Amino acid sequence: MATGPVDGDDLAALPADELAARCRAAEAEAARLRSDLAAARTELAQLAERERAARNEPTGADDQGGLGIFPSEDAPTADALVGDGSDPRVLSVILTATAVVTGMVGVLALVNGNLFSGFGLVIVVLTVVLAWAAVRTRVVPVEVSIVRGMVYIEQGDSSHRFDIRTSPRPSA
């Protein structure tokens, strides 16, 4: 009986009973692999459930869409990150740094007596525009606190408060 792969021409030369035996063996191997896969999936689900229970997380898939098997320490957890994982403070920092550099170039133009030339005026205008853009894109943190049933939300100069004790409850 042949045990390795068989070329197409050699397959036609096999007797019918040997070909049928090979098909039965292949079907048995496929059934064994299906049951192994089902057992592995069950084991993974149990591991995920135990891990969620250890971390006191709700059941279901985790935020990354996986089974929760792998540790989520590599997931970004910084408060400053937005939904797509970017940091909104980066733009403000880059604009500020660029404004400082153009300001230094403006000081050099002043020292060299070229401040009122075309280049010097462009540098001054560019410095002012970059500084204005840096101030406009500055991220002001939001502070939320709950004290005795009152929710206080503060962001920069604005503040809001809500009484959660008297708010209407949604009907089921």
Side-chain angles (χ1 to χ4, degrees):
M1 184 169 151
T3 58
V6 179
D7 292 336
D9 296 335
D10 294 338
L11 194 59
L14 284 177
D17 60 337
E18 190 176 335
L19 188 57
R22 282 186 162 214
C23 286
R24 283 191 299 274
E27 288 174 353
E29 180 69 13
R32 185 187 65 78
L33 289 174
R34 272 194 301 272
S35 67
D36 288 351
L37 179 61
R41 285 182 176 162
T42 302
E43 184 180 348
L44 285 175
Q46 290 171 350
L47 286 171
E49 187 61 36
R50 275 188 248 142
E51 186 176 315
R52 274 191 290 279
R55 287 189 275 155
N56 294 329
E57 291 181 359
T59 57
D62 64 352
D63 295 337
Q64 285 79 31
L67 292 173
I69 298 167
F70 303 105
S72 60
E73 285 86 33
D74 54 349
T77 58
D79 295 334
L81 298 182
V82 291
D84 63 354
S86 64
D87 191 348
R89 297 174 294 188
V90 171
L91 179 61
S92 179
V93 169
I94 290 172
L95 289 171
T96 302
T98 309
V100 167
V101 170
T102 56
M104 286 192 271
V105 171
V107 169
L108 285 174
L110 176 67
V111 168
N112 291 330
N114 295 329
L115 185 62
F116 296 107
S117 67
F119 174 77
L121 293 176
V122 167
I123 288 296
V124 168
V125 169
L126 186 60
T127 301
V128 170
V129 168
L130 286 170
W132 175 79
V135 169
R136 296 285 296 166
T137 59
R138 184 176 53 114
V139 176
V140 180
V142 177
E143 296 179 22
V144 179
S145 60
I146 302 174
V147 178
R148 296 186 186 121
M150 295 289 291
V151 177
Y152 296 95
I153 303 172
E154 297 177 5
Q155 181 178 23
D157 292 338
S158 68
S159 65
H160 306 279
R161 71 176 182 198
F162 303 96
D163 187 0
I164 58 176
R165 294 172 296 187
T166 59
S167 63
R169 304 202 189 276
S171 60

